[in-house]
Structure formats: structure tokens, C-alpha cells
Amino acid sequence: MKGVPKEYSWSLDISTTNVGMALWDEKGKLIELKHLQLKVDNSIPEENRYLYKARLFRDHIRKFKERVNVEYGCEITNIFVEKPLPNTGVNINTTAKLLGFNGIVCYILYEIFGVEPLLISVHDCRRIFCDELLVKKNGKLTLSFPKNIDKKEYIWKKVTKLEPNIKWIYDKNNKIKRESFDMSDAFACGYSSLKLLDIIHSDYKK
């Protein structure tokens, strides 16, 4: 007779080209940190590619759900998704496409897992994960990254310190690839969300 499935959490950083994914156990320990490349044939009209990418994502997570249930004896009971920035600094069409795809992915997650994704803003994610960068201004704690520091690279470096055994993705010139930043953002999303739920505490990895 099978025992009661363990309750795991899954955090995702979603873009239209790549999805970073972090799996956490019931105590907030990282189990897996992976990525899914959403690559479709260039012959598909650009305006329709999001449909094929959504199908790729749906097919992947169906297999993922089955695999983790067998491999870890778990069910996904918490899903965390980092909200896309409303203004990404690029053209409005790109921003709209990202917001729309994020909504499609959240619906697919709900449909397959029966779990409503918890959305966390980029600001809240970074404020919680990078709490060492909080400074008091006008009586309030404000997140302040050092000047001339790439925020995604800062987060990635912090994740490498917390989880030194992760295998990151590099190009042929040994330069860190974008997929690795998607993975570290997924980690930060999960870490911050689990702290909000009081599953991860301040002594993580100490």
C-alpha cells in the first residue's frame, strides 16, 4: 500500500523562449533546478508561435508530473510563478506577448495540477531573496543593488553560493548562458515564495 504522497513545491521563471524551473521538497530543500527551451520551427508564422510553445510546455509538465510522482513519491501542492514586469524596457508588443504567454502558462499549470499558481512580483522576489541589499531610506527598507551590477548576474552568483553543486549552462566560450539566469531566477522565485509561506527560514544552507 502506498503512503501519502509528499507535498512538494515548484517555482517557475517564464519567458517565451525558456522556462526556468525549481523543485522543492516539503521542508524547502531544493531537489531539482532545470530549464525548458521553448524552441519551435522557424517555418511557423511568428504570430502563431506562442501556441506551439504553449503546447510544448503543456506536454513537458504532463511528463514532469508523472515523473516526480514516481521518482520522489510527491505531488505538487504549491506552484510559484514570477510575475513579468509590466514595463520591460522594450517595445510594448514584446511586453504584451510576455504578459499574455504568462497567463496561458498559468492556466495550463492550474489545469494539469489543479493548483492555483501564486504570483510573486519581480520586486518582492528580489527584495526577499537579496535582503542583504535592503537599506533604510526615509524610515523604509528599500532594495538597492550596487551600481554597475547586473541584477540577474548578482542573483545567479548568490544561488551558486547557496547551491554549489548546480550544473550551470555555458556556451563554447565558457560564458554563462541566458538559460542559467532563468534557472537562478526560478530559484529566487521559489526561495522567496517559500519564505513568505514560512517554509524556508533565514538559516537556509547554514
Side-chain angles (χ1 to χ4, degrees), residues 85-98:
L85 288 167
N87 182 0
T88 61
V90 294
N91 69 70
I92 191 170
N93 291 331
T94 300
T95 301
K97 186 184 297 184
L98 182 57

Side-chain angles (χ1 to χ4, degrees), residues 2-206:
K2 290 185 178 181
V4 177
K6 292 174 282 189
E7 297 184 348
Y8 277 24
S9 300
W10 202 30
S11 55
L12 302 96
D13 177 68
I14 298 163
S15 77
T16 56
T17 56
N18 199 71
V19 180
M21 304 172 292
L23 179 66
W24 311 80
D25 72 9
E26 67 275 17
K27 296 181 180 179
K29 177 184 176 182
L30 181 71
I31 301 300
E32 293 182 355
L33 187 58
K34 297 180 179 294
H35 78 97
L36 170 66
Q37 188 175 21
L38 300 174
K39 189 174 182 179
V40 298
D41 195 285
N42 288 334
S43 64
I44 298 171
E46 186 173 354
E47 63 270 21
N48 293 332
R49 289 178 189 172
Y50 74 99
L51 296 172
Y52 291 81
K53 292 179 178 183
R55 186 169 63 186
L56 281 174
F57 178 79
R58 181 197 62 194
D59 293 346
H60 175 83
I61 66 170
R62 280 177 174 166
K63 294 175 182 177
F64 169 82
K65 181 182 179 182
E66 294 176 2
R67 179 178 66 81
V68 297
N69 181 261
V70 172
E71 190 170 341
Y72 302 116
C74 73
E75 290 183 353
I76 305 298
T77 55
N78 293 311
I79 296 176
F80 312 121
V81 174
E82 186 177 87
K83 281 195 247 182
L85 288 167
N87 182 0
T88 61
V90 294
N91 69 70
I92 191 170
N93 291 331
T94 300
T95 301
K97 186 184 297 184
L98 182 57
L99 288 167
F101 190 69
N102 188 277
I104 292 171
V105 165
C106 285
Y107 176 77
I108 291 172
L109 290 167
Y110 174 70
E111 183 183 41
I112 292 178
F113 291 101
V115 175
E116 296 182 10
L118 171 65
L119 302 180
I120 182 169
S121 70
V122 174
H123 175 74
D124 286 342
C125 177
R126 292 174 176 176
R127 179 179 57 81
I128 296 170
F129 185 62
C130 303
D131 57 355
E132 71 279 2
L133 299 180
L134 293 175
V135 296
K136 185 168 283 190
K137 292 183 179 180
N138 300 321
K140 295 182 180 180
L141 286 175
T142 303
L143 181 64
S144 180
F145 278 88
K147 291 182 179 180
N148 301 319
I149 292 293
D150 182 88
K151 295 175 183 178
K152 285 184 173 290
E153 186 172 354
Y154 182 94
I155 291 170
W156 169 70
K157 287 181 177 179
K158 182 168 183 178
V159 176
T160 63
K161 292 179 181 178
L162 293 174
E163 297 285 351
N165 295 321
I166 292 174
K167 293 182 179 179
W168 300 103
I169 303 167
Y170 294 85
D171 63 20
K172 60 183 180 180
N173 297 316
N174 203 35
K175 184 178 179 180
I176 194 73
K177 294 187 71 173
R178 177 180 175 179
E179 289 90 335
S180 291
F181 293 136
D182 294 324
M183 291 163 61
S184 58
D185 281 346
F187 180 99
C189 172
Y191 177 100
S192 302
S193 300
L194 289 166
K195 283 199 77 172
L196 285 173
L197 296 180
D198 202 31
I199 295 174
I200 281 181
H201 304 286
S202 59
D203 59 349
Y204 182 85
K205 286 293 175 184
K206 289 185 180 179

